[in-house]
């Protein structure tokens, strides 16, 4: 796509700096607290309609398991080269064992991942099917989860672990999918860090005092209580979110409209979407934005530079189906291509 001429000039002027920041990602250390989820993808070929009920019978072909939810956020940081301390809860079940194995295989420290024997590992199983000459389509999704909060002793263990390790990292990230890991004791421990990045779907006020919040457009509208339909309401929302959260920065991600950053000092800027024409799946793209943005900040990027890096990373993963990640090398290639096309 062709970039806005004024933005293209800024991007070219910052290119060397952005390439330099990407090289430094491997030096970053982050602690990520998240609602850990296992994403399962089962696929098969449709054989016939069942005689028992009006449902399809599939012959199983493949099963794929990948980190999802807060675990996807953690996995994104690792794939971008950072040293990651994972914090969260898993059930005492096969899914928990599988998810821990996926994280550890990526070099992620799971000492802060505790087992909650009273609740299952949050698991989202997507069952998809296809006929011999058709594309694969999702048929149904089965979720395993509990609406109960973890016991108080587990909440205390998690918060204590965070306090013990907080001085070892450059940033703490809260990836709140609403599944109960981020209780008030855990949030209080996270907010004691010098740099706390918050990616929460709702109840942003619980994280008041965090450094930077990254709501998408629907989440921002939910938080402020009105629709964001034009530049005026967008600006008002940015100001209202800053007041609500007492944050230094608010980044509202707006899909094909790009992203907008609002700062406590009163400044604001907008970054256009880098990829509008080849968007196949936005699943997990927000986690990718948070990872690249946070790593940018930890290695010395300005808010604008960090947002550009987050936007660049998202432009890569939305080209792929399912929960996925990117790497610094892919980001370098994408940035070079963007400079040439822009």
């Amino acid at each position: 796509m062709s970039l806005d001429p004024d933005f293209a000039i800024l991007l070219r002027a910052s290119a060397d700096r952005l390439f330099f920041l990407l090289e430094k990602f491997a030096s970053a250390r982050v602690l990520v607290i998240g609602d850990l989820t296992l994403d399962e993808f089962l696929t098969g070929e449709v054989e016939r309609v069942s005689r028992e009920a009006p449902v399809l019978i599939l012959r199983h072909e493949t099963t794929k398991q990948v980190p999802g939810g807060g675990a996807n956020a953690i996995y994104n940081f690792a794939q971008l080269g950072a040293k990651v301390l994972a914090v969260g809860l898993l059930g005492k079940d096969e899914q928990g064992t599988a998810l821990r194995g996926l994280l550890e295989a990526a070099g992620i420290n799971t000492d802060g991942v505790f087992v909650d024997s009273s609740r299952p590992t949050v698991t989202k199983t997507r069952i998809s099917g296809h006929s011999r000459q058709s594309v694969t389509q999702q048929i149904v999704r089965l979720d395993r989860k509990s609406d109960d909060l973890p016991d108080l002793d587990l909440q205390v263990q998690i918060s204590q672990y965070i306090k013990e390790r907080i001085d070892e990292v450059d940033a703490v990230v809260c990836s709140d999918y609403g599944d109960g890991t981020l209780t008030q004791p855990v949030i209080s421990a996270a907010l004691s860090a010098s740099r706390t990045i918050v990616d929460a779907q709702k109840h942003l006020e619980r994280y008041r005092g965090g450094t930077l919040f990254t709501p998408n457009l629907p989440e921002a509208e939910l938080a402020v209580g009105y629709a964001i339909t034009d530049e005026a309401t967008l600006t008002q929302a940015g100001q209202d979110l800053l007041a609500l959260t007492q944050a230094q920065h608010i980044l509202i991600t707006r899909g094909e409209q790009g992203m907008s950053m609002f700062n406590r000092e009163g400044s604001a800027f907008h970054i256009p979407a880098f990829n509008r024409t080849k968007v196949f799946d936005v699943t997990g793209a927000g986690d990718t934005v948070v990872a690249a943005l946070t790593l940018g900040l930890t290695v010395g990027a300005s808010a604008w530079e960090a947002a550009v890096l987050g936007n660049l990373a998202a432009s890569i993963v939305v080209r792929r189906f399912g929960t996925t990640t990117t790497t610094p090398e892919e980001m370098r290639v994408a940035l070079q291509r963007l400079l040439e096309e822009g």
Side-chain angles (χ1 to χ4, degrees):
M1 64 169 290
S2 99
L3 295 173
D4 171 81
D6 291 337
F7 183 83
I9 291 172
L10 282 174
L11 190 65
R12 290 193 189 96
S14 305
D16 289 345
R17 171 73 174 162
L18 293 170
F19 282 121
F20 170 75
L21 292 168
L22 284 170
E23 292 292 335
K24 295 184 66 178
F25 273 13
S27 67
R29 300 165 301 168
V30 293
L31 184 151
V32 187
I33 313 157
D35 288 310
L36 307 183
T37 299
L38 180 68
D39 279 348
E40 287 187 326
F41 300 87
L42 276 64
T43 61
E45 183 176 338
V46 178
E47 289 195 325
R48 58 186 171 87
V49 176
S50 173
R51 294 178 181 177
E52 301 170 358
V55 297
L56 298 174
I57 294 178
L58 306 182
R59 181 180 291 272
H60 178 265
E61 293 177 333
T62 62
T63 296
K64 180 181 180 181
Q65 295 178 319
V66 299
N72 181 54
I74 291 166
Y75 202 67
N76 267 272
F77 277 98
Q79 295 300 101
L80 286 171
K83 299 175 182 64
V84 189
L85 302 182
V87 178
L89 293 169
L90 295 174
K92 191 176 182 180
D93 48 32
E94 294 179 3
Q95 291 77 23
T97 301
L99 184 49
R100 188 185 294 273
L102 289 170
L103 297 178
E104 291 178 347
I108 295 164
N109 184 319
T110 62
D111 291 347
V113 176
F114 297 87
V115 174
D116 184 350
S117 58
S118 67
R119 305 193 314 158
T121 300
V122 179
T123 306
K124 298 178 181 179
T125 303
R126 298 162 176 85
I127 301 176
S128 302
H130 66 93
S131 62
R132 292 181 62 185
Q133 296 180 338
S134 71
V135 297
T136 300
Q137 299 182 59
Q138 186 175 154
I139 298 171
V140 68
R141 192 180 94 181
L142 174 68
D143 286 3
R144 300 178 182 92
K145 61 181 293 185
S146 171
D147 293 328
D148 297 330
L149 292 177
D151 291 338
L152 183 58
D153 61 337
L154 273 175
Q155 297 180 38
V156 172
Q157 286 183 60
I158 295 172
S159 60
Q160 186 61 37
Y161 176 85
I162 295 167
K163 293 173 183 176
E164 291 173 355
R165 306 303 291 270
I166 209 164
D167 292 334
E168 302 174 18
V169 297
D170 304 307
V172 171
V173 179
C174 300
S175 182
D176 188 347
Y177 276 75
D179 291 324
T181 302
L182 285 132
T183 57
Q184 207 54 53
V186 175
I187 292 172
S188 296
L191 291 175
S192 65
S194 59
R195 180 186 287 117
T196 305
I197 312 301
V198 179
D199 183 22
Q201 296 183 348
K202 54 187 177 180
H203 301 309
L204 304 188
E205 68 280 356
R206 299 172 68 215
Y207 295 90
R208 186 174 287 112
T211 308
L212 185 149
F213 289 67
T214 61
N216 60 28
L217 193 63
E219 291 164 355
E221 291 177 330
L222 177 65
V224 298
Y226 53 82
I228 301 172
T229 57
D230 53 25
E231 186 173 345
T233 52
L234 176 64
T235 299
Q236 186 62 51
Q239 295 170 349
D240 289 345
L241 286 169
L242 285 168
L244 173 70
T245 63
Q246 295 298 298
Q248 296 179 23
H249 310 279
I250 294 288
L251 179 73
I252 302 178
T253 57
R254 303 166 56 214
E256 66 177 15
Q257 299 302 313
M259 52 180 62
S260 300
M261 177 81 84
F262 300 89
N263 301 322
R264 183 182 292 179
E265 296 78 13
S267 62
F269 58 79
H270 175 71
I271 297 174
F274 293 161
N275 176 24
R276 296 179 183 172
T277 59
K278 297 180 180 180
V279 176
F280 296 115
D281 192 344
V282 298
T283 304
D287 295 324
T288 304
V289 171
V290 172
L293 168 81
T294 301
L295 293 184
L297 292 174
T298 63
V299 299
S302 67
W304 184 88
E305 291 166 341
V308 168
L309 292 172
N311 201 21
L312 180 68
S315 74
I316 298 170
V317 299
V318 296
R319 298 170 185 257
R320 303 165 180 163
F321 289 104
T323 310
T324 186
T325 60
T326 187
T327 65
E329 179 55 36
E330 289 180 338
M331 290 180 66
R332 284 189 286 271
V333 172
L335 178 56
Q336 185 60 49
R337 184 180 299 117
L338 193 65
L339 292 166
E340 293 169 356
E341 294 175 354

